[in-house]
Amino acid sequence: MFEFLKHITPKTKILLLGFILILIPGAIISYLSLQSINQKAENLQTKYKGTVSLVRDKLESEVFKDEASLRNSVNESFPKPENNTDLKEWLRNIESENPAFKNLFLLKTDGGLLSSSVSLGWNNIAESFSLINPQATSNFNLAEKAEFISKDYVDAIMFYQKALIQTNSSSDHALILSRIGRCYFKNGKYKTGINIYKKILEEGNKETTIGKIPAPIIALSQITDGYKALKVEMEQYNASLELYQQLLDHPWDLEGGEYLYYLNFASTEIREYEVSNIYRNDHEENIDDLKIRGNRLLEQIRFIELINQNVLSEIKSKLRYGAPSELHSFNISPNEYNSKLQLSFFKLPAAFQQSELTALGFQFKKDYILLNLFPEILTSVELGKDIVVGILSNNDSLLYIQHNQALSNYLVAENFLQLFVNWKVALFDKDGKSIDQLVGNERQLYLMLFAGIIVVMLIGFVVMVRAVIHESEVSRMKSEFVSNVSHELKTPLALIRMFGETLDSGIVTDEKKRREFYSIIRKESERLTHLINNVLDFSKMDTGVKKYYFEEADLVEVVRSSLEAYKFHIRDNGFEIKMEFPDYPVILKIDKDAISQALLNLLSNAVKYSENRKLIQVQVHNNSASALISVTDNGVGITKEELKKIFDKFYRVPQTRGVQTRGSGLGLTLTKQIIEAHGGTIEVESEIGKGSTFTINIPFKL
Ligand code: ADP
């Protein structure tokens, strides 16, 4: 397989070795670079993971600090309140001082809950109905009988009014007035009824209750109903609006559900008017304000009820064992579709427990934390200008990102550990690239480089091997050439010498014989000259020193005279020559000697490679662009394979079709080079066993 290596020079062998020596480390280096890119990606990952953990810890610890300061302000500012209105006020103050928290709530030892606006089971208002005066009581009872049993409302009103005069307590007053109003309504006297209820409003102070419900609330809701019955929409609307406002101003305990009932009643009333949109304009601003307050209140109500239903027992059990001021946090999901609520609470110190308060709980104000607190903390975190911090939700949607950049791919993300467990902190590249994308370009570059190196090396290797094979071929042909040429030189020299010596010795006396010997000497020396000319010309052309002398000449004339000189040789070998020339001169610029030499090479081949059919045709003709010379023989022909190579230097078809011929392998090479120096071409058509035609084409314009 490595036969060819025998013929190549040591220099080429060194080159080949060097090539392989470059190839191996080249491949190794490329592979290692790829490896190092992957390593780089991993390093980046580790680095960013570290950074993001630091950022997360920083954010968490700052929130913890806020929690601690909330706890402090709770502990320090406890006012020893008189009633729950004071407590609500106090909670409101703390909320406004600690903006990261909302829905602060107090838990009482008996399980009551109180937030800054509402309470649940906090303090039961005692039934306020007292009617100390016995006459008043008996009149009240008679009135109730008339109202409920005999349904005689006129009588009922009369007894109620008697009782009214006999009582002093404002609550009792309000209660009896509301009964009178109710009886007027039942009697269909709405206007009078409304006026009675208005009296409650005028008389009653805010604390007055009827049953557990503040008297103004009952009065206003009745007035609303009264106007509704009278179909005085404007008044009905005003009354319901006032009712709503009162409800918002003075919420009472949620237990029993009455408060929510009235709140719902008032807001539906208002909404009905809103749909018809008649009176909106007068109260527009007022209503919008009320609605905002209403929504806030509803949120707190929902929150307090949620605590009451879902987490109160858990808080209580934790409180049993927890130390005062110790923070407890947990996440609760009110329902599976809702995001989790982050809830924390701590046990209040002894001072509070004297007022029956055991714990204070709160919720994080996520909006504030995301949009105010975190951004502020992050301004003090130095991460370099290429890194942006963002907060993601569980499903990777962006909750907050620094500088409001719209980036989608993050580098790394880490979950919060303690507080906002369904949030993640993420680091973003400022151009929104992931780590893979960051190293991707480099990786691609290296991959391409790697592939490039491999391709170049493969091409180099193929070229090298071809060159080596070619070189070994050339060197083989060269050595063949040397043996051919020396043989070619030896034969004619031996003949010349033999016949020269014979003549010189004078033993040949026959004149005819002598002539024959002279002729042989001439022919052999001609052959020698031809051969030497070829070799010399070849070496000139090969080294680039061959000079051509172009002159205007008649091609027909040049061909004719070359044939004339070669005629003897052809005829001697028993060949017949057919010539076809135009009867006008074909003038072009040529080197006459060179063209004649080219023609002689073709003729000599025609002689050499013919066997039995000894006919050679030489044609000269022309077209507008060029002149053509063709030499046709009826010899052995050339195979298609060999046609490609016969013009190569030193190439000889080994043993042409059994014809053992002599030659140097230079004839056609020279012919081709000469013709090309004239700007022309040479073509062959050949058929095995039939013969070949070589056609030279020389353009008129050089
Ligand atoms: P040489 O004739 O000295 O071997 P050439 O360069 O003249 O070298 O020719 C190269 C080869 O081309 C020859 O060895 C021969 O096999 C083939 N060849 C050239 N001319 C002819 C021809 N007229 N007929 C058949 N074969 C030819």
Side-chain angles (χ1 to χ4, degrees):
M1 178 185 175
F2 295 106
E3 260 315 272
F4 64 88
L5 284 176
K6 272 195 260 168
H7 292 278
I8 60 173
T9 59
K11 207 171 112 191
T12 316
K13 278 183 190 156
I14 290 172
L15 261 172
L16 197 67
L17 190 73
F19 185 76
I20 290 168
L21 284 182
I22 294 170
L23 190 131
I24 293 169
I28 293 176
I29 288 172
S30 311
Y31 176 73
L32 288 180
S33 331
L34 265 181
Q35 285 277 343
S36 89
I37 296 282
N38 288 341
Q39 185 64 43
K40 190 172 170 189
E42 253 169 55
N43 289 347
L44 274 182
Q45 180 95 18
T46 325
K47 183 182 122 189
Y48 288 135
K49 270 238 153 90
T51 316
V52 83
S53 300
L54 283 178
V55 173
R56 184 216 33 222
D57 294 349
K58 171 88 177 163
L59 292 174
E60 274 191 338
S61 77
E62 291 295 323
V63 178
F64 277 132
K65 267 191 214 160
D66 269 29
E67 262 185 339
S69 90
L70 170 76
R71 224 167 33 204
N72 285 342
S73 64
V74 167
N75 290 348
E76 279 160 20
S77 68
F78 188 55
K80 291 247 178 328
E82 300 275 298
N83 52 38
N84 66 12
T85 321
D86 288 353
L87 274 177
K88 284 180 182 173
E89 185 67 35
W90 176 64
L91 287 178
R92 259 198 289 279
N93 281 339
I94 296 179
E95 271 178 13
S96 66
E97 283 162 20
N98 295 275
F101 308 99
K102 63 175 181 183
N103 288 339
L104 263 60
F105 64 93
L106 284 163
L107 176 62
K108 232 167 51 159
T109 22
D110 63 4
L113 288 166
L114 178 117
S115 73
S116 62
S117 313
V118 288
S119 67
L120 180 60
W122 192 259
N123 51 356
N124 297 326
I125 303 166
E127 283 287 344
S128 55
F129 181 54
S130 50
L131 286 184
I132 304 162
N133 184 332
Q135 276 180 339
T137 313
S138 82
N139 277 327
F140 190 82
N141 289 340
L142 285 173
E144 279 195 327
K145 255 184 211 155
E147 184 185 352
F148 296 115
I149 298 169
S150 55
K151 299 204 190 305
D152 183 341
Y153 303 120
V154 181
D155 260 15
I157 291 170
M158 182 196 71
F159 286 120
Y160 279 135
Q161 261 163 352
K162 276 186 182 166
L164 185 68
I165 307 165
Q166 291 155 346
T167 182
N168 291 325
S169 128
S170 64
S171 285
D172 290 352
H173 217 112
L175 171 75
I176 298 167
L177 276 178
S178 76
R179 291 296 175 90
I180 298 171
R182 189 165 76 192
C183 288
Y184 277 119
F185 275 19
K186 284 179 180 173
N187 222 1
K189 299 206 161 115
Y190 291 103
K191 253 193 181 143
T192 328
I194 289 169
N195 284 333
I196 299 288
Y197 282 118
K198 280 188 175 164
K199 258 193 195 145
I200 301 180
L201 291 181
E202 285 155 20
E203 285 180 10
N205 65 41
K206 300 262 149 56
E207 306 302 319
T208 316
T209 56
I210 299 170
K212 288 182 182 178
I213 302 155
I217 300 297
I218 291 190
L220 281 169
S221 72
Q222 289 296 95
I223 292 170
T224 311
D225 276 346
Y227 282 127
K228 196 185 225 166
L230 290 172
K231 296 195 172 21
V232 190
E233 286 190 343
M234 178 77 164
E235 293 301 330
Q236 183 192 346
Y237 179 61
N238 284 338
S240 60
L241 208 59
E242 204 179 328
L243 173 66
Y244 193 53
Q245 193 151 2
Q246 284 272 348
L247 284 162
L248 294 184
D249 287 347
H250 306 286
W252 66 95
D253 202 81
L254 296 173
E255 205 168 66
E258 289 92 346
Y259 178 71
L260 273 179
Y261 164 79
Y262 282 103
L263 195 65
N264 186 42
F265 170 79
S267 59
T268 346
E269 284 291 318
I270 295 170
R271 216 174 309 128
E272 261 171 38
Y273 282 93
E274 223 142 80
V275 175
S276 58
N277 209 18
I278 314 171
Y279 307 110
R280 232 185 106 84
N281 285 342
D282 298 0
H283 306 276
E284 197 143 23
E285 276 168 44
N286 192 12
I287 286 178
D288 288 342
D289 263 12
L290 285 182
K291 268 205 214 147
I292 293 169
R293 284 177 56 199
N295 287 339
R296 259 192 239 136
L297 192 78
L298 272 178
E299 194 205 312
Q300 261 195 31
I301 292 173
R302 275 190 219 111
F303 177 75
I304 287 292
E305 289 195 325
L306 183 96
I307 302 284
N308 191 40
Q309 283 163 19
N310 300 339
V311 279
L312 198 57
S313 55
E314 204 172 330
I315 294 179
K316 279 181 183 163
S317 78
K318 282 194 180 175
L319 282 174
R320 225 165 283 148
Y321 308 105
S325 295
E326 184 191 348
L327 262 175
H328 303 273
S329 307
F330 50 99
N331 287 285
I332 48 166
S333 304
N335 61 54
E336 55 182 309
Y337 306 106
N338 229 337
S339 63
K340 286 190 169 158
L341 285 185
Q342 175 81 47
L343 201 81
S344 298
F345 66 91
F346 59 90
K347 192 173 181 173
L348 291 164
F352 289 81
Q353 283 167 20
Q354 284 163 9
S355 313
E356 289 183 47
L357 303 175
T358 54
L360 187 131
F362 52 88
Q363 222 191 321
F364 288 94
K365 211 190 272 169
K366 291 188 174 172
D367 288 351
Y368 177 85
I369 288 177
L370 281 175
L371 303 177
N372 299 71
L373 188 62
F374 282 176
E376 200 187 303
I377 300 169
L378 288 173
T379 50
S380 67
V381 181
E382 229 3 279
L383 288 175
K385 61 180 181 344
D386 289 345
I387 299 292
V388 179
V389 180
I391 306 290
L392 304 175
S393 75
N394 239 354
N395 55 10
D396 278 2
S397 63
L398 201 56
L399 299 173
Y400 161 75
I401 187 155
Q402 275 184 306
H403 320 307
N404 275 332
Q405 301 205 5
L407 303 174
S408 50
N409 287 334
Y410 56 80
L411 295 163
V412 284
E414 282 278 335
N415 273 3
F416 277 95
L417 289 181
Q418 305 174 57
L419 288 171
F420 310 104
V421 286
N422 46 349
W423 287 356
K424 294 180 205 168
V425 187
L427 295 189
F428 292 79
D429 170 67
K430 69 168 190 325
D431 300 322
K433 287 184 176 160
S434 66
I435 288 185
D436 263 359
Q437 285 170 329
L438 274 183
V439 292
N441 284 349
E442 237 170 299
R443 182 183 286 139
Q444 228 164 11
L445 193 80
Y446 274 94
L447 263 177
M448 268 157 59
L449 218 68
F450 189 50
I453 288 176
I454 297 290
V455 168
V456 167
M457 281 175 175
L458 281 179
I459 293 173
F461 189 72
V462 169
V463 168
M464 187 101 188
V465 167
R466 282 179 64 137
V468 166
I469 289 173
H470 187 244
E471 190 190 323
S472 82
E473 184 69 12
V474 168
S475 86
R476 184 186 60 74
M477 286 196 297
K478 256 187 193 159
S479 52
E480 250 179 55
F481 166 74
V482 171
S483 85
N484 280 340
V485 168
S486 31
H487 184 73
E488 284 285 274
L489 289 174
K490 257 204 277 165
T491 322
L493 273 179
L495 284 173
I496 291 168
R497 193 169 155 192
M498 191 180 85
F499 288 104
E501 276 173 3
T502 315
L503 287 172
D504 195 31
S505 67
I507 51 167
V508 184
T509 46
D510 181 9
E511 184 57 27
K512 206 177 153 204
K513 264 271 185 288
R514 284 227 302 250
R515 287 214 167 276
E516 192 185 326
F517 286 4
Y518 284 137
S519 157
I520 290 174
I521 290 174
R522 182 185 52 82
K523 273 193 273 175
E524 286 308 314
S525 55
E526 260 172 23
R527 183 206 282 275
L528 212 55
T529 314
H530 181 63
L531 178 70
I532 290 169
N533 274 348
N534 265 358
V535 173
L536 285 179
D537 269 5
F538 170 73
S539 104
K540 277 187 198 161
M541 284 176 195
D542 213 32
T543 50
V545 293
K546 167 80 183 165
K547 281 217 167 76
Y548 292 95
Y549 299 97
F550 293 100
E551 55 185 323
E552 290 222 327
D554 177 8
L555 188 68
V556 179
E557 196 46 49
V558 173
V559 174
R560 203 193 297 280
S561 65
S562 305
L563 278 174
E564 201 61 40
Y566 206 58
K567 197 161 66 188
F568 298 108
H569 179 74
I570 297 174
R571 298 236 165 97
D572 281 353
N573 284 290
F575 278 84
E576 189 191 330
I577 270 202
K578 257 195 186 170
M579 294 180 266
E580 240 178 77
F581 298 146
D583 48 10
Y584 51 86
V586 177
I587 308 290
L588 26 62
K589 267 202 156 176
I590 47 173
D591 181 323
K592 287 199 283 187
D593 289 343
I595 291 292
S596 141
Q597 195 187 351
L599 184 62
L600 289 189
N601 279 335
L602 294 184
L603 287 172
S604 124
N605 280 350
V607 172
K608 276 200 287 184
Y609 304 111
S610 291
E611 286 179 296
N612 308 323
R613 284 164 294 143
K614 302 197 168 193
L615 172 66
I616 298 173
Q617 282 166 284
V618 179
Q619 251 185 333
V620 176
H621 53 107
N622 70 300
N623 54 36
S624 60
S626 52
L628 299 110
I629 313 168
S630 62
V631 177
T632 308
D633 61 53
N634 294 277
V636 294
I638 309 162
T639 63
K640 277 221 171 84
E641 272 301 295
E642 283 154 357
L643 276 178
K644 288 181 213 155
K645 303 189 220 164
I646 53 174
F647 292 100
D648 292 351
K649 60 184 172 187
F650 309 130
Y651 185 79
R652 304 201 66 229
V653 176
Q655 263 228 13
T656 308
R657 316 276 148 254
V659 192
Q660 184 64 53
T661 53
R662 296 184 288 169
S664 59
L666 287 180
L668 286 181
T669 315
L670 278 172
T671 305
K672 190 172 181 224
Q673 284 185 0
I674 290 168
I675 301 307
E676 280 173 357
H678 284 76
T681 53
I682 177 163
E683 275 160 27
V684 206
E685 277 171 35
S686 184
E687 208 176 316
I688 290 293
K690 289 210 169 151
S692 320
T693 301
F694 286 79
T695 309
I696 290 171
N697 183 321
I698 306 169
F700 286 114
K701 271 193 188 147
L702 238 183

